[in-house]
Every structure is written in C-alpha cells, then in structure tokens.
Amino acid sequence: MRHNPIPSSLFRENRQRLQALLPPGSLALLNANDVPPTNADATLLGVPNSDLFYLTGVEQEESILMLFPDAHEEKHREILFLRETSDHIAVWEGHKLTKEEARRTTGIRTIMWLQEFPAMLRLLMCQAHRVFLNSNEHARATIHVQSRDARFIREIQEAFPLHHYDRLARFMHRLRPVKSPAEVDLIKHACSLTREGFLRILKTVKPGINECEVEAEFAHEFIRRRGRFAYNPIIASGKNANVLHYLDNNQPCRRGDLLLLDVGAAYANYAADMTRTIPVSGKFSRRQKQIYQAVLRVLRGSIAALLPGTLPRDWQHHAELLMQEELLQLGLLLPKDVKNQDPDRPALKRYFMHGVGHPLGLDVHDLAEAGQPIQAGWVMTVEPGIYLPDEGFGIRLENDILVTPKGPVDLMADIPLETAEIEDLMRS
Ligand code: GLY
Ligand code: MN
Ligand code: MN
C-alpha cells in the first residue's frame, strides 16, 4: 500500500454495519480480486476488491474474509485468511502482511494462513444456515472474465450443494453509498490531489503541448502524493472532447482549441472525479465562454438540487430541463424541436447525451441501491456537458458533492472553475 495507514475503526464499523443487516445464522465470504494477466508471463498491477477493502482495509492478493457473527466460538466470528510468505516470496515479490500487521490494519483478531481455510470453511459451514457470497452487480458492468469470487461461488456450491446461498451484493449496495466521516475525509484527500494536479497543468498547458504530456503532469502530482489515477484520464483537445470516453491522449493541443480534462486521483482507493475544460492558449473565445457559462449554470443548478430524498431519476430530469432551457437560449434548440420531441429521446440529448452524475467512492461509478432516493452521506458527481462536434469543441464540468441534511457540500469548491480564475492562473 502506498497511502498512509487508516485507523482500523473505519473497517470495524463497516463490518458492524454489515452484520446488522445479515439474518441470523449467516456466513459471509469475500475474496480478493485476481491479479489480471496480460501477455506472456506479465500481469497488471492488482486492483483491490472494493468490498473486501471496505470491510478490512486489506489490499493483498488472495485474501479471504469470513464473517460469521453467530459462530459458536467468538474467535470464529471474524476471520481473515492471508497468503503466507516464504523466503522465495520475500525475494521475488517483497513484503507480505504479517498476522500482527493484518490485525492492526483490519481490527480483526483471528488471522489465519490460507492453508487453514478449507478446514475452517467446513467447520463453519456445518453451523451456518445461510451463506452470502459476493458478486459484481453493478448494473452497467460488462464482465468477460471470471473473478475469484465467481470461481469460489461455483466451487463452494459444488462442495456444499444443500446450503442456502444468497447475494451479499444487495447489502453492499445498501451500505457503500452512505459514506462515514472517515470515508468523506479520504475522498476529500483524493480531491486535494486532483486540485494539485489541475493547478500544475494550468501552469504547463500552452499551444503545442501534447495531450500525453498533460497526462504526465497529472501523474507526477498524484504519484508523488501517494495516489494514482482513479480511472483512465480523458485528456481531450478540440474535437476529441466530443468522444465521451476518449483515451488516446496523443494529440497536440492547438491554439484556439479547448482542452477537456476528465481526471481524478484515487487516494487509499477512494476516488475523486473531476472535469475541467480550459483554453489551450489561456483565453476563452466569446463563443467558448458563452457555452461554458451555460454548462456552469446547469452544474450549479444540479448541485443545488442534490437533496436527500430525491430520486436519481428525478434529479436527472431536473438537470435535463435546466439544460433544455440553456440550449433554447443558445439557439441550439428551437421551440419546435422541444414541442415535437419523442419524450423517450428528448431533443437536448443531441448535445448532452450522458447522465448528470453518479455515486462516487471506492469505485468511480460507485454502488447504489437501484431505485432508492439519494441519501445524506452519499457523494455524487455532477457533470453536465454540451458537445458541439460541428464547432470542434465540447465542454464538460464535473465536481464531487457530499449530500447532507443541510444541503449539498461541494468537495471541489476550491478547484478553480470560473473562466476568469482559470484565465488568471494560466496567465501567471
Ligand atoms: N470519469 C468518468 C466519469 O466522469 O464518469
Ligand atoms: Mn469524470
Ligand atoms: Mn463522473
């Protein structure tokens, strides 16, 4: 792990919140993610399983968490299984968690090596009434490879066919959107790294710089501050901004063009998700500023509408009405376009075709229970945009907002957003 240690109380409280939802006699099991293979004998850097991290703070490969709040023996109520190190592993891979380190990180008393897992599983399965297994139930996930959890689901059902199995995901989707103060602090820290990256590139961007050089400047700030990119950054100059998931980041930035930056740092696996759109030359044209102000008004109006009790669908609709009004004012839509529109495909979608925001947390597109209203403690992105391929530019602005009973709190309020402020900073 690169981040500073996190108090184990965060993970202990998360386990308590989960235990409060588990029916009597439940056994819950969660696996680490596989280290993804690439080509030949190479692998990518492993990405911690977000649910396992949420409940333990452990990032080490092959780890397994076993929760059994009603176990006959108290020491079996929470068990973490870890890969045991060896001289060979120490030489080739480096340090692995000791049992004492794992206790400190997680607040779990019983730490065992993986060799002990099969016997302990048999012992506790014989006491359990229901077994909750973990799976990725993000509605928009496209899954082509079998995860460690998915493999385990097949194996355990084959070994113990008469148990009742259930989905842990529905509890994780209820718990994870509501952030504790400690989690909000970690997201704020990710936002502060993102701010440092943005301030750095405001000093660096000038005509002729390549998009990849801008990406490198962000990487420099994030990594030296013990973070990483929370997702593949989108560094899109000119017309590239109209490709919503542009990832090539390889074109020169030209004088007169805008540069859309959808970039966020992750710190301790908690993500920030920011978008800014800046002028390559340091000065917005009149037209660019006109569109920018329209997007900024929709951003502000959509932030203000992030109130507990609002259904995400209604919030989206509200943002679309704000955007429709702006597009009418700009003359990009005509009253007849709105009057004749198919309600399932409103005319404004031609210019603003994506969602206005999403939950943010350990995952950039974080978990939330489908159909549930927005609650206090959720962190949401707000990210309206207007895309104008015919004019060779697109503008999106994105901030991260904490929902509270007293109203929305902008976690990116200190990241320059007004056109004048951006021009001033680029000039100096
Ligand atoms: N960067 C991904 C998103 O804004 O949703
Ligand atoms: Mn984004
Ligand atoms: Mn986003």
Side-chain angles (χ1 to χ4, degrees):
M1 84 184 178
R2 186 182 279 161
H3 58 85
N4 294 320
I6 299 171
S8 62
S9 51
L10 167 59
F11 310 112
R12 200 175 313 124
E13 282 161 22
N14 289 344
R15 289 195 299 278
Q16 283 163 358
R17 292 169 74 206
L18 173 59
Q19 284 171 15
L21 297 179
L22 288 172
S26 295
L27 175 65
L29 289 151
L30 296 95
N31 282 273
N33 282 342
D34 279 321
V35 176
T38 53
N39 296 297
D41 62 351
T43 54
L44 290 176
L45 264 187
V47 177
N49 179 285
S50 300
D51 295 314
L52 183 69
F53 184 83
Y54 178 83
L55 296 170
T56 64
V58 162
E59 301 181 310
Q60 188 166 294
E61 70 285 351
E62 299 183 26
S63 308
I64 305 176
L65 175 66
M66 194 181 241
L67 292 177
F68 190 19
D70 299 329
H72 299 163
E73 290 200 56
E74 200 188 334
K75 66 176 189 232
H76 292 159
R77 292 184 184 161
E78 296 183 331
I79 309 177
L80 180 73
F81 295 88
L82 291 179
R83 185 174 176 221
E84 186 179 15
T85 195
S86 64
D87 291 346
H88 179 85
I89 291 173
V91 168
W92 287 85
E93 298 180 34
H95 183 71
K96 299 291 162 190
L97 286 174
T98 65
K99 289 188 178 181
E100 194 39 49
E101 285 168 342
R103 271 183 208 110
R104 258 202 318 275
T105 302
T106 62
I108 295 173
R109 203 154 53 89
T110 310
I111 311 288
M112 296 184 175
W113 301 130
L114 280 171
Q115 301 85 288
E116 299 171 84
F117 178 73
M120 194 50 64
L121 180 65
R122 170 153 290 278
L123 182 77
L124 298 189
M125 284 296 273
C126 294
Q127 297 175 25
H129 301 315
R130 262 167 101 171
V131 185
F132 285 85
L133 302 176
N134 208 20
S135 54
N136 179 351
E137 295 193 13
H138 196 289
R140 288 197 302 176
T142 338
I143 301 170
H144 297 300
V145 289
Q146 196 175 44
S147 69
R148 211 169 175 83
D149 269 319
R151 258 193 333 270
F152 182 71
I153 288 169
R154 296 176 78 115
E155 288 163 10
I156 190 172
Q157 287 185 299
E158 203 175 311
F160 300 93
L162 296 181
H163 276 71
H164 295 285
Y165 292 93
D166 214 325
R167 297 148 50 217
L168 190 67
R170 60 197 178 92
F171 296 142
M172 302 312 295
H173 283 240
R174 199 176 307 166
L175 293 175
R176 278 188 35 202
V178 183
K179 271 66 183 181
S180 62
E183 290 184 286
V184 172
D185 283 345
L186 291 168
I187 296 175
K188 279 185 187 165
H189 197 75
C191 291
S192 76
L193 267 58
T194 309
R195 175 176 186 271
E196 294 301 330
F198 183 55
L199 294 178
R200 183 183 178 95
I201 70 94
L202 285 178
K203 292 187 218 136
T204 322
V205 168
K206 52 182 181 318
I209 194 170
N210 196 287
E211 292 164 355
C212 63
E213 294 176 85
V214 179
E215 178 176 339
E217 296 295 329
F218 275 109
H220 181 100
E221 284 301 330
F222 293 176
I223 295 169
R224 71 193 277 258
R225 293 170 191 276
R226 300 179 168 272
R228 59 175 169 85
F229 284 111
Y231 52 91
N232 293 325
I234 298 168
I235 316 277
S237 62
K239 64 178 172 28
N240 300 333
N242 297 302
V243 180
L244 297 178
H245 290 165
Y246 177 76
L247 296 175
D248 290 344
N249 300 356
N250 64 358
Q251 294 301 306
C253 303
R254 291 191 311 242
R255 184 181 302 281
D257 274 353
L258 290 181
L259 176 62
L260 184 151
L261 309 156
D262 186 341
V263 182
Y267 179 78
N269 301 307
Y270 281 86
D273 185 4
M274 175 199 79
T275 309
R276 291 291 182 269
T277 308
I278 65 171
V280 170
S281 63
K283 201 153 172 42
F284 290 92
S285 71
R286 255 180 63 182
R287 174 64 170 166
Q288 291 165 348
K289 208 178 273 188
Q290 184 188 34
I291 304 294
Y292 192 105
Q293 298 302 347
V295 177
L296 185 55
R297 282 189 291 272
V298 178
L299 177 79
R300 296 238 154 93
S302 304
I303 291 174
L306 264 181
L307 300 171
T310 308
L311 283 171
R313 179 182 39 154
D314 295 341
W315 180 56
Q316 171 74 27
H317 184 61
H318 174 262
E320 288 179 359
L321 290 182
L322 294 178
M323 183 60 88
Q324 179 175 285
E325 188 51 37
E326 294 292 345
L327 294 170
L328 287 166
Q329 291 293 328
L330 288 164
L332 288 166
L333 288 182
L334 300 174
K336 72 172 168 45
D337 299 326
V338 175
K339 190 157 162 266
N340 299 334
Q341 72 190 2
D342 172 353
D344 289 333
R345 294 182 52 210
L348 68 100
K349 293 270 186 198
R350 183 167 152 209
Y351 300 102
F352 173 41
M353 59 295 279
H354 56 76
V356 68
H358 53 83
L360 178 76
L362 281 171
D363 290 296
V364 177
H365 294 172
D366 211 33
L367 306 184
E369 226 180 342
Q372 290 304 301
I374 292 165
Q375 291 176 44
W378 284 27
V379 175
M380 293 288 287
T381 70
V382 185
E383 48 183 303
I386 295 179
Y387 304 92
L388 300 171
D390 293 346
E391 298 187 43
F393 71 93
I395 295 178
R396 176 164 69 253
L397 301 171
E398 178 175 25
N399 277 16
D400 302 342
I401 310 296
L402 172 66
V403 179
T404 83
K406 293 188 188 148
V409 176
D410 191 339
L411 306 181
M412 292 186 156
D414 61 353
I415 304 184
L417 181 61
E418 294 284 350
T419 53
E421 197 184 359
I422 286 170
E423 287 179 341
D424 278 353
L425 286 162
M426 290 187 80
R427 205 172 21 246
S428 61

